[in-house]
Amino acid sequence: MTESTGESGGAPGGREPLVVLTDVEKYFGDLHVLQKINLSIGRGEVVVVIGPSGSGKSTLCRAINRLETIESGTITIDGVPLPEEGKGLARLRADVGMVFQQFNLFAHKTILENVTLGPTKVRKVPAAEARQRGMELLKRVGVDSQAEKFPAQLSGGQQQRVAIARALAMNPKVILFDEPTSALDPEMVNEVLDVMVDLARQGMTMVVVTHEMGFARKAANRVVFMSDGQIVEESDPDTFFTNPTSDRARDFLSKIL
Ligand code: ADP
Ligand code: MG
């Protein structure tokens, strides 16, 4: 597994910044969960976030679409600071897709309805158009034959692919994936990762929290290692996995490799 499409690490490599976090601070009570986070994600860049449990990876993702507020610092999406609330927030959130560990599909909606709901309600896309595009997206992730079923009738891998189609249906500028394969049976991990690798190759901007090193090596431009609320190290995947510079990253890798 030496294949890598990654470019050398550091800043977004000449790309136009799309998601920019500047001096972001977040506390849960006394817990300083995000500590002076500075991170710039370029358009079309794929950033894999890796780090021990509790290091703040999910909180980072949730802050980027304002599922969590931050105490100080700024987060901008395509040059627009995240608003506190209101219509501006809904609009900005629609630009930031999110795929969770637990799929979070609407249980009482069909697969196709899961994919068309956001576009019709939020983007005001006409129903027929949303259905057509929804079917195209379901086809793209390989679950179009399941369109009229309900989530519980699908395997975990299929449900997660629907969740990806649902995110894509909003035409987001960036998609955040928070451990998208951690809840899957092992035999279903690759069918989801394959869809994600395709997305990456097609130029989608992606932030992916995952410990799947095969995905990182295949698709990531940059690996960001978090520990105790801080970004400790960032580099291209080859460098990170073969030659991490921090003790914390070395220690972490020795446990998962
Ligand atoms: P990771 O995703 O890296 O495992 P999280 O971002 O989920 O880490 O959590 C970071 C830390 O913040 C953990 O110690 C976690 O227990 C704590 N935490 C997360 N969410 C909350 C919350 N809503 N209230 C209080 N503490 C939280
Ligand atoms: Mg997490």
Side-chain angles (χ1 to χ4, degrees), residues 174-213:
V174 53
I175 304 184
L176 315 173
F177 295 82
D178 191 0
E179 304 209 29
T181 60
S182 299
L184 297 176
D185 291 333
E187 74 272 21
M188 293 173 188
V189 168
N190 280 333
E191 68 190 54
V192 172
L193 291 179
D194 287 348
V195 168
M196 293 168 59
V197 169
D198 275 347
L199 277 185
R201 295 205 167 134
Q202 286 158 28
M204 177 58 72
T205 308
M206 299 163 66
V207 177
V208 184
V209 178
T210 186
H211 296 168
E212 292 288 340
M213 283 160 299

PDB file of all heavy atoms in Angstrom, residues 174-213:
ATOM      1  N   VAL A 174     -18.708  21.195   0.914  1.00  0.00           N
ATOM      2  CA  VAL A 174     -17.788  20.309   1.634  1.00  0.00           C
ATOM      3  C   VAL A 174     -18.628  19.258   2.350  1.00  0.00           C
ATOM      4  O   VAL A 174     -19.764  19.537   2.736  1.00  0.00           O
ATOM      5  CB  VAL A 174     -16.915  21.122   2.638  1.00  0.00           C
ATOM      6  CG1 VAL A 174     -17.756  21.984   3.557  1.00  0.00           C
ATOM      7  CG2 VAL A 174     -15.987  20.223   3.457  1.00  0.00           C
ATOM      8  N   ILE A 175     -18.098  18.050   2.467  1.00  0.00           N
ATOM      9  CA  ILE A 175     -18.793  17.032   3.269  1.00  0.00           C
ATOM     10  C   ILE A 175     -17.871  16.605   4.406  1.00  0.00           C
ATOM     11  O   ILE A 175     -16.687  16.313   4.195  1.00  0.00           O
ATOM     12  CB  ILE A 175     -19.204  15.793   2.445  1.00  0.00           C
ATOM     13  CG1 ILE A 175     -20.064  16.204   1.250  1.00  0.00           C
ATOM     14  CG2 ILE A 175     -19.987  14.803   3.330  1.00  0.00           C
ATOM     15  CD1 ILE A 175     -20.600  15.020   0.427  1.00  0.00           C
ATOM     16  N   LEU A 176     -18.434  16.584   5.612  1.00  0.00           N
ATOM     17  CA  LEU A 176     -17.714  16.129   6.797  1.00  0.00           C
ATOM     18  C   LEU A 176     -18.144  14.694   7.088  1.00  0.00           C
ATOM     19  O   LEU A 176     -19.346  14.411   7.142  1.00  0.00           O
ATOM     20  CB  LEU A 176     -18.055  16.999   8.003  1.00  0.00           C
ATOM     21  CG  LEU A 176     -18.068  18.507   7.789  1.00  0.00           C
ATOM     22  CD1 LEU A 176     -18.584  19.223   9.041  1.00  0.00           C
ATOM     23  CD2 LEU A 176     -16.669  18.993   7.442  1.00  0.00           C
ATOM     24  N   PHE A 177     -17.203  13.820   7.244  1.00  0.00           N
ATOM     25  CA  PHE A 177     -17.493  12.414   7.565  1.00  0.00           C
ATOM     26  C   PHE A 177     -16.914  12.126   8.948  1.00  0.00           C
ATOM     27  O   PHE A 177     -15.711  12.237   9.141  1.00  0.00           O
ATOM     28  CB  PHE A 177     -16.815  11.473   6.564  1.00  0.00           C
ATOM     29  CG  PHE A 177     -17.308  11.575   5.144  1.00  0.00           C
ATOM     30  CD1 PHE A 177     -16.836  12.577   4.303  1.00  0.00           C
ATOM     31  CD2 PHE A 177     -18.212  10.651   4.650  1.00  0.00           C
ATOM     32  CE1 PHE A 177     -17.267  12.663   2.987  1.00  0.00           C
ATOM     33  CE2 PHE A 177     -18.651  10.714   3.333  1.00  0.00           C
ATOM     34  CZ  PHE A 177     -18.183  11.725   2.504  1.00  0.00           C
ATOM     35  N   ASP A 178     -17.785  11.774   9.901  1.00  0.00           N
ATOM     36  CA  ASP A 178     -17.285  11.478  11.245  1.00  0.00           C
ATOM     37  C   ASP A 178     -17.324   9.969  11.487  1.00  0.00           C
ATOM     38  O   ASP A 178     -18.360   9.416  11.802  1.00  0.00           O
ATOM     39  CB  ASP A 178     -18.113  12.219  12.301  1.00  0.00           C
ATOM     40  CG  ASP A 178     -17.466  12.140  13.683  1.00  0.00           C
ATOM     41  OD1 ASP A 178     -16.392  11.510  13.809  1.00  0.00           O
ATOM     42  OD2 ASP A 178     -18.043  12.700  14.633  1.00  0.00           O
ATOM     43  N   GLU A 179     -16.204   9.329  11.335  1.00  0.00           N
ATOM     44  CA  GLU A 179     -16.068   7.875  11.494  1.00  0.00           C
ATOM     45  C   GLU A 179     -17.174   7.124  10.752  1.00  0.00           C
ATOM     46  O   GLU A 179     -17.916   6.329  11.351  1.00  0.00           O
ATOM     47  CB  GLU A 179     -16.038   7.501  12.984  1.00  0.00           C
ATOM     48  CG  GLU A 179     -14.927   8.242  13.721  1.00  0.00           C
ATOM     49  CD  GLU A 179     -14.380   7.479  14.922  1.00  0.00           C
ATOM     50  OE1 GLU A 179     -14.427   6.239  14.892  1.00  0.00           O
ATOM     51  OE2 GLU A 179     -13.905   8.129  15.857  1.00  0.00           O
ATOM     52  N   PRO A 180     -17.274   7.343   9.444  1.00  0.00           N
ATOM     53  CA  PRO A 180     -18.415   6.799   8.692  1.00  0.00           C
ATOM     54  C   PRO A 180     -18.450   5.283   8.603  1.00  0.00           C
ATOM     55  O   PRO A 180     -19.491   4.726   8.281  1.00  0.00           O
ATOM     56  CB  PRO A 180     -18.221   7.407   7.293  1.00  0.00           C
ATOM     57  CG  PRO A 180     -16.759   7.678   7.198  1.00  0.00           C
ATOM     58  CD  PRO A 180     -16.347   8.090   8.580  1.00  0.00           C
ATOM     59  N   THR A 181     -17.340   4.618   8.894  1.00  0.00           N
ATOM     60  CA  THR A 181     -17.352   3.150   8.773  1.00  0.00           C
ATOM     61  C   THR A 181     -17.201   2.451  10.122  1.00  0.00           C
ATOM     62  O   THR A 181     -17.155   1.224  10.182  1.00  0.00           O
ATOM     63  CB  THR A 181     -16.225   2.658   7.822  1.00  0.00           C
ATOM     64  OG1 THR A 181     -14.951   3.070   8.333  1.00  0.00           O
ATOM     65  CG2 THR A 181     -16.410   3.229   6.420  1.00  0.00           C
ATOM     66  N   SER A 182     -17.158   3.232  11.213  1.00  0.00           N
ATOM     67  CA  SER A 182     -16.873   2.616  12.523  1.00  0.00           C
ATOM     68  C   SER A 182     -17.998   1.728  13.030  1.00  0.00           C
ATOM     69  O   SER A 182     -17.762   0.838  13.839  1.00  0.00           O
ATOM     70  CB  SER A 182     -16.582   3.693  13.559  1.00  0.00           C
ATOM     71  OG  SER A 182     -15.456   4.423  13.180  1.00  0.00           O
ATOM     72  N   ALA A 183     -19.229   2.002  12.589  1.00  0.00           N
ATOM     73  CA  ALA A 183     -20.354   1.207  13.089  1.00  0.00           C
ATOM     74  C   ALA A 183     -20.700   0.046  12.159  1.00  0.00           C
ATOM     75  O   ALA A 183     -21.667  -0.664  12.397  1.00  0.00           O
ATOM     76  CB  ALA A 183     -21.578   2.110  13.277  1.00  0.00           C
ATOM     77  N   LEU A 184     -19.893  -0.134  11.114  1.00  0.00           N
ATOM     78  CA  LEU A 184     -20.236  -1.146  10.107  1.00  0.00           C
ATOM     79  C   LEU A 184     -19.568  -2.481  10.397  1.00  0.00           C
ATOM     80  O   LEU A 184     -18.452  -2.536  10.922  1.00  0.00           O
ATOM     81  CB  LEU A 184     -19.776  -0.677   8.721  1.00  0.00           C
ATOM     82  CG  LEU A 184     -20.430   0.588   8.176  1.00  0.00           C
ATOM     83  CD1 LEU A 184     -19.792   0.957   6.845  1.00  0.00           C
ATOM     84  CD2 LEU A 184     -21.929   0.393   8.023  1.00  0.00           C
ATOM     85  N   ASP A 185     -20.259  -3.553  10.003  1.00  0.00           N
ATOM     86  CA  ASP A 185     -19.606  -4.853  10.019  1.00  0.00           C
ATOM     87  C   ASP A 185     -18.429  -4.791   9.049  1.00  0.00           C
ATOM     88  O   ASP A 185     -18.509  -4.125   8.014  1.00  0.00           O
ATOM     89  CB  ASP A 185     -20.584  -5.943   9.569  1.00  0.00           C
ATOM     90  CG  ASP A 185     -21.686  -6.162  10.608  1.00  0.00           C
ATOM     91  OD1 ASP A 185     -21.428  -5.902  11.801  1.00  0.00           O
ATOM     92  OD2 ASP A 185     -22.793  -6.558  10.220  1.00  0.00           O
ATOM     93  N   PRO A 186     -17.336  -5.486   9.370  1.00  0.00           N
ATOM     94  CA  PRO A 186     -16.110  -5.357   8.574  1.00  0.00           C
ATOM     95  C   PRO A 186     -16.316  -5.572   7.077  1.00  0.00           C
ATOM     96  O   PRO A 186     -15.702  -4.876   6.271  1.00  0.00           O
ATOM     97  CB  PRO A 186     -15.194  -6.445   9.148  1.00  0.00           C
ATOM     98  CG  PRO A 186     -15.725  -6.723  10.505  1.00  0.00           C
ATOM     99  CD  PRO A 186     -17.186  -6.402  10.503  1.00  0.00           C
ATOM    100  N   GLU A 187     -17.195  -6.486   6.710  1.00  0.00           N
ATOM    101  CA  GLU A 187     -17.331  -6.786   5.277  1.00  0.00           C
ATOM    102  C   GLU A 187     -18.025  -5.654   4.522  1.00  0.00           C
ATOM    103  O   GLU A 187     -18.084  -5.676   3.292  1.00  0.00           O
ATOM    104  CB  GLU A 187     -18.040  -8.128   5.055  1.00  0.00           C
ATOM    105  CG  GLU A 187     -19.532  -8.122   5.330  1.00  0.00           C
ATOM    106  CD  GLU A 187     -19.901  -8.426   6.774  1.00  0.00           C
ATOM    107  OE1 GLU A 187     -19.037  -8.265   7.673  1.00  0.00           O
ATOM    108  OE2 GLU A 187     -21.067  -8.801   7.004  1.00  0.00           O
ATOM    109  N   MET A 188     -18.570  -4.693   5.254  1.00  0.00           N
ATOM    110  CA  MET A 188     -19.268  -3.585   4.591  1.00  0.00           C
ATOM    111  C   MET A 188     -18.445  -2.298   4.532  1.00  0.00           C
ATOM    112  O   MET A 188     -18.866  -1.311   3.936  1.00  0.00           O
ATOM    113  CB  MET A 188     -20.572  -3.278   5.318  1.00  0.00           C
ATOM    114  CG  MET A 188     -21.560  -4.404   5.184  1.00  0.00           C
ATOM    115  SD  MET A 188     -22.986  -4.128   6.195  1.00  0.00           S
ATOM    116  CE  MET A 188     -23.776  -5.739   5.985  1.00  0.00           C
ATOM    117  N   VAL A 189     -17.284  -2.331   5.168  1.00  0.00           N
ATOM    118  CA  VAL A 189     -16.472  -1.112   5.241  1.00  0.00           C
ATOM    119  C   VAL A 189     -16.039  -0.662   3.849  1.00  0.00           C
ATOM    120  O   VAL A 189     -16.168   0.504   3.480  1.00  0.00           O
ATOM    121  CB  VAL A 189     -15.251  -1.343   6.165  1.00  0.00           C
ATOM    122  CG1 VAL A 189     -14.243  -0.213   6.025  1.00  0.00           C
ATOM    123  CG2 VAL A 189     -15.718  -1.468   7.615  1.00  0.00           C
ATOM    124  N   ASN A 190     -15.581  -1.596   3.043  1.00  0.00           N
ATOM    125  CA  ASN A 190     -15.010  -1.199   1.750  1.00  0.00           C
ATOM    126  C   ASN A 190     -16.031  -0.639   0.775  1.00  0.00           C
ATOM    127  O   ASN A 190     -15.713   0.245  -0.008  1.00  0.00           O
ATOM    128  CB  ASN A 190     -14.248  -2.368   1.117  1.00  0.00           C
ATOM    129  CG  ASN A 190     -12.871  -2.495   1.737  1.00  0.00           C
ATOM    130  OD1 ASN A 190     -12.316  -1.499   2.222  1.00  0.00           O
ATOM    131  ND2 ASN A 190     -12.328  -3.699   1.752  1.00  0.00           N
ATOM    132  N   GLU A 191     -17.272  -1.151   0.840  1.00  0.00           N
ATOM    133  CA  GLU A 191     -18.268  -0.635  -0.105  1.00  0.00           C
ATOM    134  C   GLU A 191     -18.549   0.841   0.174  1.00  0.00           C
ATOM    135  O   GLU A 191     -18.913   1.589  -0.737  1.00  0.00           O
ATOM    136  CB  GLU A 191     -19.553  -1.473  -0.061  1.00  0.00           C
ATOM    137  CG  GLU A 191     -20.334  -1.362   1.232  1.00  0.00           C
ATOM    138  CD  GLU A 191     -21.471  -2.396   1.321  1.00  0.00           C
ATOM    139  OE1 GLU A 191     -21.204  -3.605   1.158  1.00  0.00           O
ATOM    140  OE2 GLU A 191     -22.602  -1.979   1.554  1.00  0.00           O
ATOM    141  N   VAL A 192     -18.387   1.260   1.424  1.00  0.00           N
ATOM    142  CA  VAL A 192     -18.570   2.678   1.761  1.00  0.00           C
ATOM    143  C   VAL A 192     -17.304   3.466   1.422  1.00  0.00           C
ATOM    144  O   VAL A 192     -17.358   4.540   0.818  1.00  0.00           O
ATOM    145  CB  VAL A 192     -18.949   2.839   3.253  1.00  0.00           C
ATOM    146  CG1 VAL A 192     -18.950   4.308   3.669  1.00  0.00           C
ATOM    147  CG2 VAL A 192     -20.320   2.211   3.498  1.00  0.00           C
ATOM    148  N   LEU A 193     -16.146   2.909   1.766  1.00  0.00           N
ATOM    149  CA  LEU A 193     -14.891   3.608   1.459  1.00  0.00           C
ATOM    150  C   LEU A 193     -14.716   3.791  -0.047  1.00  0.00           C
ATOM    151  O   LEU A 193     -14.220   4.830  -0.496  1.00  0.00           O
ATOM    152  CB  LEU A 193     -13.695   2.845   2.035  1.00  0.00           C
ATOM    153  CG  LEU A 193     -13.597   2.830   3.561  1.00  0.00           C
ATOM    154  CD1 LEU A 193     -12.379   2.006   3.992  1.00  0.00           C
ATOM    155  CD2 LEU A 193     -13.509   4.239   4.135  1.00  0.00           C
ATOM    156  N   ASP A 194     -15.151   2.801  -0.824  1.00  0.00           N
ATOM    157  CA  ASP A 194     -15.019   2.921  -2.290  1.00  0.00           C
ATOM    158  C   ASP A 194     -15.796   4.124  -2.811  1.00  0.00           C
ATOM    159  O   ASP A 194     -15.316   4.853  -3.687  1.00  0.00           O
ATOM    160  CB  ASP A 194     -15.519   1.644  -2.984  1.00  0.00           C
ATOM    161  CG  ASP A 194     -14.545   0.483  -2.809  1.00  0.00           C
ATOM    162  OD1 ASP A 194     -13.407   0.730  -2.367  1.00  0.00           O
ATOM    163  OD2 ASP A 194     -14.932  -0.668  -3.111  1.00  0.00           O
ATOM    164  N   VAL A 195     -17.006   4.320  -2.274  1.00  0.00           N
ATOM    165  CA  VAL A 195     -17.811   5.478  -2.678  1.00  0.00           C
ATOM    166  C   VAL A 195     -17.082   6.768  -2.300  1.00  0.00           C
ATOM    167  O   VAL A 195     -17.031   7.737  -3.068  1.00  0.00           O
ATOM    168  CB  VAL A 195     -19.203   5.419  -2.008  1.00  0.00           C
ATOM    169  CG1 VAL A 195     -19.950   6.732  -2.173  1.00  0.00           C
ATOM    170  CG2 VAL A 195     -20.024   4.269  -2.588  1.00  0.00           C
ATOM    171  N   MET A 196     -16.474   6.760  -1.115  1.00  0.00           N
ATOM    172  CA  MET A 196     -15.767   7.966  -0.657  1.00  0.00           C
ATOM    173  C   MET A 196     -14.519   8.242  -1.493  1.00  0.00           C
ATOM    174  O   MET A 196     -14.197   9.400  -1.779  1.00  0.00           O
ATOM    175  CB  MET A 196     -15.407   7.821   0.821  1.00  0.00           C
ATOM    176  CG  MET A 196     -16.644   7.819   1.724  1.00  0.00           C
ATOM    177  SD  MET A 196     -16.260   7.320   3.408  1.00  0.00           S
ATOM    178  CE  MET A 196     -15.062   8.576   3.840  1.00  0.00           C
ATOM    179  N   VAL A 197     -13.821   7.187  -1.883  1.00  0.00           N
ATOM    180  CA  VAL A 197     -12.633   7.368  -2.729  1.00  0.00           C
ATOM    181  C   VAL A 197     -13.055   7.963  -4.076  1.00  0.00           C
ATOM    182  O   VAL A 197     -12.418   8.881  -4.596  1.00  0.00           O
ATOM    183  CB  VAL A 197     -11.875   6.034  -2.925  1.00  0.00           C
ATOM    184  CG1 VAL A 197     -10.808   6.164  -4.010  1.00  0.00           C
ATOM    185  CG2 VAL A 197     -11.235   5.589  -1.616  1.00  0.00           C
ATOM    186  N   ASP A 198     -14.172   7.469  -4.621  1.00  0.00           N
ATOM    187  CA  ASP A 198     -14.694   8.028  -5.879  1.00  0.00           C
ATOM    188  C   ASP A 198     -14.992   9.517  -5.747  1.00  0.00           C
ATOM    189  O   ASP A 198     -14.637  10.315  -6.617  1.00  0.00           O
ATOM    190  CB  ASP A 198     -15.990   7.314  -6.300  1.00  0.00           C
ATOM    191  CG  ASP A 198     -15.694   6.050  -7.080  1.00  0.00           C
ATOM    192  OD1 ASP A 198     -14.535   5.875  -7.497  1.00  0.00           O
ATOM    193  OD2 ASP A 198     -16.631   5.248  -7.254  1.00  0.00           O
ATOM    194  N   LEU A 199     -15.662   9.856  -4.650  1.00  0.00           N
ATOM    195  CA  LEU A 199     -15.997  11.265  -4.410  1.00  0.00           C
ATOM    196  C   LEU A 199     -14.738  12.111  -4.363  1.00  0.00           C
ATOM    197  O   LEU A 199     -14.672  13.197  -4.944  1.00  0.00           O
ATOM    198  CB  LEU A 199     -16.691  11.429  -3.051  1.00  0.00           C
ATOM    199  CG  LEU A 199     -18.170  11.160  -2.953  1.00  0.00           C
ATOM    200  CD1 LEU A 199     -18.638  11.501  -1.547  1.00  0.00           C
ATOM    201  CD2 LEU A 199     -18.897  11.998  -3.971  1.00  0.00           C
ATOM    202  N   ALA A 200     -13.742  11.601  -3.661  1.00  0.00           N
ATOM    203  CA  ALA A 200     -12.478  12.333  -3.528  1.00  0.00           C
ATOM    204  C   ALA A 200     -11.863  12.549  -4.911  1.00  0.00           C
ATOM    205  O   ALA A 200     -11.410  13.638  -5.248  1.00  0.00           O
ATOM    206  CB  ALA A 200     -11.527  11.568  -2.620  1.00  0.00           C
ATOM    207  N   ARG A 201     -11.884  11.503  -5.712  1.00  0.00           N
ATOM    208  CA  ARG A 201     -11.268  11.605  -7.045  1.00  0.00           C
ATOM    209  C   ARG A 201     -12.027  12.569  -7.934  1.00  0.00           C
ATOM    210  O   ARG A 201     -11.467  13.141  -8.863  1.00  0.00           O
ATOM    211  CB  ARG A 201     -11.197  10.218  -7.695  1.00  0.00           C
ATOM    212  CG  ARG A 201     -10.256   9.337  -6.890  1.00  0.00           C
ATOM    213  CD  ARG A 201      -9.654   8.213  -7.691  1.00  0.00           C
ATOM    214  NE  ARG A 201      -8.555   7.638  -6.909  1.00  0.00           N
ATOM    215  CZ  ARG A 201      -8.351   6.355  -6.731  1.00  0.00           C
ATOM    216  NH1 ARG A 201      -9.142   5.477  -7.312  1.00  0.00           N
ATOM    217  NH2 ARG A 201      -7.343   5.931  -6.003  1.00  0.00           N
ATOM    218  N   GLN A 202     -13.340  12.724  -7.661  1.00  0.00           N
ATOM    219  CA  GLN A 202     -14.130  13.655  -8.464  1.00  0.00           C
ATOM    220  C   GLN A 202     -14.022  15.088  -7.957  1.00  0.00           C
ATOM    221  O   GLN A 202     -14.713  15.981  -8.440  1.00  0.00           O
ATOM    222  CB  GLN A 202     -15.584  13.186  -8.507  1.00  0.00           C
ATOM    223  CG  GLN A 202     -15.748  11.962  -9.410  1.00  0.00           C
ATOM    224  CD  GLN A 202     -16.996  11.158  -9.088  1.00  0.00           C
ATOM    225  OE1 GLN A 202     -17.970  11.704  -8.596  1.00  0.00           O
ATOM    226  NE2 GLN A 202     -16.960   9.870  -9.360  1.00  0.00           N
ATOM    227  N   GLY A 203     -13.183  15.289  -6.928  1.00  0.00           N
ATOM    228  CA  GLY A 203     -12.881  16.661  -6.529  1.00  0.00           C
ATOM    229  C   GLY A 203     -13.719  17.219  -5.399  1.00  0.00           C
ATOM    230  O   GLY A 203     -13.666  18.418  -5.118  1.00  0.00           O
ATOM    231  N   MET A 204     -14.506  16.358  -4.720  1.00  0.00           N
ATOM    232  CA  MET A 204     -15.276  16.843  -3.581  1.00  0.00           C
ATOM    233  C   MET A 204     -14.325  17.240  -2.443  1.00  0.00           C
ATOM    234  O   MET A 204     -13.336  16.560  -2.192  1.00  0.00           O
ATOM    235  CB  MET A 204     -16.229  15.720  -3.100  1.00  0.00           C
ATOM    236  CG  MET A 204     -17.055  16.046  -1.867  1.00  0.00           C
ATOM    237  SD  MET A 204     -18.110  17.499  -2.005  1.00  0.00           S
ATOM    238  CE  MET A 204     -19.367  16.905  -3.123  1.00  0.00           C
ATOM    239  N   THR A 205     -14.631  18.356  -1.804  1.00  0.00           N
ATOM    240  CA  THR A 205     -13.876  18.754  -0.624  1.00  0.00           C
ATOM    241  C   THR A 205     -14.391  17.932   0.556  1.00  0.00           C
ATOM    242  O   THR A 205     -15.597  17.883   0.800  1.00  0.00           O
ATOM    243  CB  THR A 205     -14.090  20.254  -0.335  1.00  0.00           C
ATOM    244  OG1 THR A 205     -13.820  20.994  -1.525  1.00  0.00           O
ATOM    245  CG2 THR A 205     -13.185  20.725   0.794  1.00  0.00           C
ATOM    246  N   MET A 206     -13.493  17.252   1.239  1.00  0.00           N
ATOM    247  CA  MET A 206     -13.914  16.318   2.280  1.00  0.00           C
ATOM    248  C   MET A 206     -13.038  16.433   3.523  1.00  0.00           C
ATOM    249  O   MET A 206     -11.823  16.538   3.422  1.00  0.00           O
ATOM    250  CB  MET A 206     -13.823  14.862   1.762  1.00  0.00           C
ATOM    251  CG  MET A 206     -14.720  14.595   0.553  1.00  0.00           C
ATOM    252  SD  MET A 206     -14.301  13.095  -0.388  1.00  0.00           S
ATOM    253  CE  MET A 206     -14.671  11.784   0.778  1.00  0.00           C
ATOM    254  N   VAL A 207     -13.701  16.406   4.691  1.00  0.00           N
ATOM    255  CA  VAL A 207     -12.998  16.261   5.961  1.00  0.00           C
ATOM    256  C   VAL A 207     -13.453  14.916   6.512  1.00  0.00           C
ATOM    257  O   VAL A 207     -14.653  14.694   6.688  1.00  0.00           O
ATOM    258  CB  VAL A 207     -13.361  17.392   6.942  1.00  0.00           C
ATOM    259  CG1 VAL A 207     -12.676  17.176   8.288  1.00  0.00           C
ATOM    260  CG2 VAL A 207     -12.992  18.752   6.356  1.00  0.00           C
ATOM    261  N   VAL A 208     -12.524  14.021   6.719  1.00  0.00           N
ATOM    262  CA  VAL A 208     -12.893  12.648   7.064  1.00  0.00           C
ATOM    263  C   VAL A 208     -12.195  12.222   8.349  1.00  0.00           C
ATOM    264  O   VAL A 208     -10.970  12.084   8.388  1.00  0.00           O
ATOM    265  CB  VAL A 208     -12.496  11.673   5.926  1.00  0.00           C
ATOM    266  CG1 VAL A 208     -12.978  10.265   6.257  1.00  0.00           C
ATOM    267  CG2 VAL A 208     -13.051  12.126   4.580  1.00  0.00           C
ATOM    268  N   VAL A 209     -13.002  12.045   9.407  1.00  0.00           N
ATOM    269  CA  VAL A 209     -12.453  11.470  10.630  1.00  0.00           C
ATOM    270  C   VAL A 209     -12.500   9.960  10.461  1.00  0.00           C
ATOM    271  O   VAL A 209     -13.583   9.378  10.307  1.00  0.00           O
ATOM    272  CB  VAL A 209     -13.281  11.880  11.872  1.00  0.00           C
ATOM    273  CG1 VAL A 209     -12.699  11.226  13.128  1.00  0.00           C
ATOM    274  CG2 VAL A 209     -13.328  13.396  12.020  1.00  0.00           C
ATOM    275  N   THR A 210     -11.358   9.335  10.434  1.00  0.00           N
ATOM    276  CA  THR A 210     -11.324   7.879  10.238  1.00  0.00           C
ATOM    277  C   THR A 210      -9.965   7.341  10.639  1.00  0.00           C
ATOM    278  O   THR A 210      -8.971   8.060  10.613  1.00  0.00           O
ATOM    279  CB  THR A 210     -11.606   7.495   8.766  1.00  0.00           C
ATOM    280  OG1 THR A 210     -11.699   6.070   8.667  1.00  0.00           O
ATOM    281  CG2 THR A 210     -10.520   7.978   7.818  1.00  0.00           C
ATOM    282  N   HIS A 211      -9.970   6.079  11.029  1.00  0.00           N
ATOM    283  CA  HIS A 211      -8.699   5.404  11.272  1.00  0.00           C
ATOM    284  C   HIS A 211      -8.372   4.441  10.135  1.00  0.00           C
ATOM    285  O   HIS A 211      -7.469   3.620  10.264  1.00  0.00           O
ATOM    286  CB  HIS A 211      -8.740   4.657  12.609  1.00  0.00           C
ATOM    287  CG  HIS A 211      -8.892   5.591  13.770  1.00  0.00           C
ATOM    288  ND1 HIS A 211      -9.198   5.170  15.036  1.00  0.00           N
ATOM    289  CD2 HIS A 211      -8.800   6.932  13.837  1.00  0.00           C
ATOM    290  CE1 HIS A 211      -9.284   6.224  15.829  1.00  0.00           C
ATOM    291  NE2 HIS A 211      -9.047   7.305  15.127  1.00  0.00           N
ATOM    292  N   GLU A 212      -9.133   4.570   9.040  1.00  0.00           N
ATOM    293  CA  GLU A 212      -8.902   3.680   7.896  1.00  0.00           C
ATOM    294  C   GLU A 212      -7.701   4.196   7.099  1.00  0.00           C
ATOM    295  O   GLU A 212      -7.818   5.098   6.270  1.00  0.00           O
ATOM    296  CB  GLU A 212     -10.136   3.633   6.993  1.00  0.00           C
ATOM    297  CG  GLU A 212     -11.332   2.953   7.622  1.00  0.00           C
ATOM    298  CD  GLU A 212     -11.144   1.440   7.732  1.00  0.00           C
ATOM    299  OE1 GLU A 212     -10.291   0.881   7.005  1.00  0.00           O
ATOM    300  OE2 GLU A 212     -11.855   0.836   8.553  1.00  0.00           O
ATOM    301  N   MET A 213      -6.565   3.601   7.365  1.00  0.00           N
ATOM    302  CA  MET A 213      -5.350   4.116   6.728  1.00  0.00           C
ATOM    303  C   MET A 213      -5.316   3.846   5.238  1.00  0.00           C
ATOM    304  O   MET A 213      -4.698   4.595   4.492  1.00  0.00           O
ATOM    305  CB  MET A 213      -4.133   3.546   7.415  1.00  0.00           C
ATOM    306  CG  MET A 213      -3.917   4.265   8.727  1.00  0.00           C
ATOM    307  SD  MET A 213      -2.903   3.315   9.798  1.00  0.00           S
ATOM    308  CE  MET A 213      -3.895   1.879   9.964  1.00  0.00           C
TER     309      MET A 213
END
